Amino acid sequence: MSDPLVLLGEVRTALLPNSGALAAREASALLSLLPGQRVLMRERPLALAISPSSAVGVDCRLASTKETRAIGTVAAHAVLVGGRVAQSSACSTVVRAADKNRRPWSHYLAQVGTVEVWHRITEDAPAAVDLTEGFLGGSSATTLDLGSISDRLLTRVRTDRRLDQDPPVRSSATRLRWAARVAPPLGGSVRERAHLSFRLEDETTRSVQIIVPSIRELGFVQRFCEDLAVHDWLLSVLGAALSEADRPMPERDSTAALAPLLEQLVHLWMPGAHTPPKLRDLWTRLESDPGFTRQWTAQVGQLRDRLAVATLEALRSSKISTIQW
């Protein structure tokens, strides 16, 4: 098989619709999506469960400036963070086909998570850039749609009959599209560190482009993007809840909506805890710009202040009622 041109992926993140966080045994049962295959579990420093990967066959165009058809499979798995946050992650490696003849499906199923490009494309570096920009620019009904694959898997997990469908926090799902490629040599040398660009497309969609120095690092990108997606989702949920609390509405207790955030989600903030060591430097740059933890610290401080003020007001009202009585 030829070297990867680009890795394409998408991560959907949402709150698990359950009144309480799942224990390790419950998380393992929920993510046992393929009989006979093991769920990967980790307890420190934060509980993490990853389902086995399933293969989804695809035969479609890739979004690019040239006619590019690809055949192969997408690898998809589910993730549960802290027993509370659910994710679905779909990914595929794009490579050149060895020849122009279509192979039987047994050939493609033996390479889970790989799609082969049939049509003639340019040299590797320009082709990788073209495929990256095309994918992050948005998919259509006729191009590779990792979002649909990821969305179906997340729906399957979140509608499991073992969940009581009574989450303590109301929130929306977010979607993170990502593409990763190896950087070409610059001046005879290879980039020493990975680089990324992170962009907010709208309220729920983000796009990430990652450049790594060698093929070895490509295998770690998906796990980094899942870690990034969780923390971006936490920021989005907390920010949305604080904005909603700013809208005064009669007969609505904002404290009742904000308190569960402090109880259920704040402790999940651990940037880089589940990122492979070779890519943790990317978190250092995200902390510098745009400053993920600075924003999170400010939001959590605002949340605590609101709850403290609400508690003081409730105590004062209680004292006044007692005196009047």
Side-chain angles (χ1 to χ4, degrees):
M1 183 188 299
S2 61
D3 290 339
L5 292 170
V6 64
L7 263 67
L8 306 176
E10 180 157 330
V11 184
R12 296 288 178 104
T13 307
L15 187 69
L16 193 71
N18 200 61
S19 55
L22 298 190
R25 182 178 299 180
E26 296 170 320
S28 179
L30 179 69
L31 298 190
S32 295
L33 305 179
L34 295 178
Q37 296 196 31
R38 186 169 61 94
V39 175
L40 299 179
M41 303 290 294
R42 182 177 178 180
E43 288 297 322
R44 303 288 186 273
L46 181 68
L48 177 72
I50 303 177
S51 78
S53 291
S54 58
V56 180
V58 293
D59 181 350
C60 60
R61 289 178 50 248
L62 297 180
S64 69
T65 58
K66 299 181 179 297
E67 179 69 21
T68 307
R69 182 185 175 191
I71 300 177
T73 63
V74 173
H77 64 246
V79 181
L80 189 61
V81 180
R84 172 55 75 193
V85 182
Q87 292 183 294
S88 58
S89 182
C91 172
S92 196
T93 303
V94 181
V95 301
R96 294 178 184 270
D99 55 57
K100 296 182 179 180
N101 298 318
R102 177 167 179 162
R103 306 286 189 88
W105 270 109
S106 58
H107 165 77
Y108 302 109
L109 291 174
Q111 305 173 72
V112 177
T114 301
V115 294
E116 298 182 359
V117 176
W118 266 24
H119 291 88
R120 184 177 179 179
I121 54 179
T122 58
E123 296 299 321
D124 286 4
V129 172
D130 186 29
L131 292 170
T132 296
E133 294 177 350
F135 177 74
L136 295 180
S139 58
S140 67
T142 59
T143 60
L144 179 64
D145 185 6
L146 297 182
S148 295
I149 296 172
S150 186
D151 188 50
R152 284 197 300 269
L153 179 57
L154 184 62
T155 300
R156 176 182 174 184
V157 172
R158 298 184 77 227
T159 56
D160 190 281
R161 58 182 177 78
R162 285 165 286 201
L163 304 176
D164 60 27
Q165 302 299 321
D166 187 25
V169 176
R170 302 299 174 184
S171 62
S172 300
T174 57
R175 130 185 227 202
L176 186 144
R177 291 196 309 259
W178 61 269
R181 59 187 176 88
V182 177
L186 296 177
S189 63
V190 180
R191 295 177 187 265
E192 296 181 355
R193 299 187 302 173
H195 293 258
L196 90 162
S197 61
F198 176 81
R199 187 171 64 211
L200 300 178
E201 302 293 351
D202 54 43
E203 291 183 356
T204 60
T205 306
R206 289 83 173 92
S207 63
V208 177
Q209 181 177 168
I210 298 177
I211 300 175
V212 295
S214 68
I215 293 176
R216 293 190 305 273
E217 284 77 23
L218 282 178
F220 304 121
V221 171
Q222 185 176 20
R223 179 84 284 274
F224 165 76
C225 289
E226 291 163 0
D227 195 19
L228 173 59
V230 166
H231 290 83
D232 172 75
W233 178 84
L234 287 169
L235 276 174
S236 300
V237 170
L238 190 52
L242 290 170
S243 297
E244 184 67 20
D246 285 335
R247 303 174 184 174
M249 295 180 63
E251 300 180 359
R252 188 188 69 173
D253 181 10
S254 61
T255 305
L258 295 178
L261 294 169
L262 190 62
E263 299 168 0
Q264 302 288 336
L265 301 183
V266 168
H267 68 284
L268 300 180
W269 187 263
M270 294 187 187
H274 295 309
T275 292
K278 287 186 177 292
L279 294 184
R280 284 180 188 159
D281 187 55
L282 292 176
W283 270 113
T284 302
R285 296 170 213 185
L286 284 170
E287 297 292 24
S288 174
D289 183 18
F292 268 54
T293 296
R294 288 199 305 272
Q295 183 180 359
W296 177 255
T297 301
Q299 288 185 346
V300 171
Q302 187 179 3
L303 174 63
R304 294 184 189 276
D305 290 344
R306 285 178 178 273
L307 292 174
V309 169
T311 300
L312 289 175
E313 290 179 349
L315 288 173
R316 185 172 57 184
S317 299
S318 177
K319 289 180 180 179
I320 293 175
S321 298
T322 302
I323 293 173
Q324 291 177 342
W325 182 85

